[in-house]
Amino acid sequence: IVLSGGDDRLWKTWGFPDGNILLTGEGHTDWLSGCCFRPSGTQLVTSSGDTTVRIWDLSRRGCILTLRGHSRAVQGCSWHSCGDFVASASMDGTSKIWDVNSERCRYTLRGHEDSVNSIEFLPFSSTVLTSSADKTLSLWDVRTVSRL
């Protein structure tokens, strides 16, 4: 199964090798910039130009949580390997770590001087990597909300 999102505001799952569309999700009001499966495979996260991050349940075929807090478009998203946290990167110059269980922002990472374009958790760690339009990469320890 492959996951995609695009300018049409939809995410889609595709079966391979046939390339058939298995599921389609709608709900964002602007383009999708990122999407990825939860490590368990039962949910997915999407990020959008509409400033939100959404969690989708595949068995319910719908959005179960909308995370709001960025003031500009969200450029990317990533799941932590434990499946309890989602990270988001935004054009507002911040990144956020969201606690999916409590449905709130746990940490806001500040320090880039321009749009944060991508974010990834390092596997099985509390470290995230961000890239920015300010031409820098940063490693962050999300337990202390500090750059490494």
Side-chain angles (χ1 to χ4, degrees):
I1 295 175
V2 174
L3 177 62
S4 68
D7 288 344
D8 60 1
R9 305 175 185 173
L10 303 174
W11 59 262
K12 296 176 184 174
T13 58
W14 306 77
F16 276 90
D18 298 331
N20 299 336
I21 296 174
L22 304 174
L23 292 173
T24 300
E26 60 181 85
H28 281 289
T29 59
D30 211 337
W31 45 269
L32 269 67
S33 55
C35 50
C36 63
F37 287 106
R38 188 175 190 160
S40 66
T42 59
Q43 296 175 339
L44 56 96
V45 63
T46 56
S47 54
S48 172
D50 67 11
T51 74
T52 67
V53 175
R54 291 180 182 240
I55 309 294
W56 306 82
D57 187 291
L58 296 174
S59 64
R60 294 186 200 172
R61 297 183 178 210
C63 178
I64 58 169
L65 178 61
T66 301
L67 302 168
R68 293 179 173 87
H70 286 293
S71 61
R72 294 190 60 204
V74 182
Q75 295 281 74
C77 55
S78 174
W79 280 101
H80 186 273
S81 51
C82 74
D84 293 332
F85 300 96
V86 166
S88 60
S90 174
M91 290 180 74
D92 66 12
T94 69
S95 298
K96 294 186 180 290
I97 308 299
W98 304 91
D99 183 328
V100 177
N101 297 319
S102 68
E103 302 182 0
R104 66 179 182 88
C105 177
R106 177 72 65 95
Y107 306 110
T108 299
L109 309 177
R110 293 181 174 86
H112 283 295
E113 296 176 13
D114 206 339
S115 172
V116 184
N117 297 330
S118 68
I119 190 163
E120 288 293 330
F121 281 102
L122 275 61
F124 307 104
S125 76
S126 61
T127 304
V128 293
L129 172 67
T130 55
S131 68
S132 172
D134 66 13
K135 300 180 183 174
T136 65
L137 299 173
S138 293
L139 285 171
W140 306 81
D141 183 335
V142 297
R143 294 170 301 180
T144 61
V145 194
S146 62
R147 285 186 181 176
L148 298 175

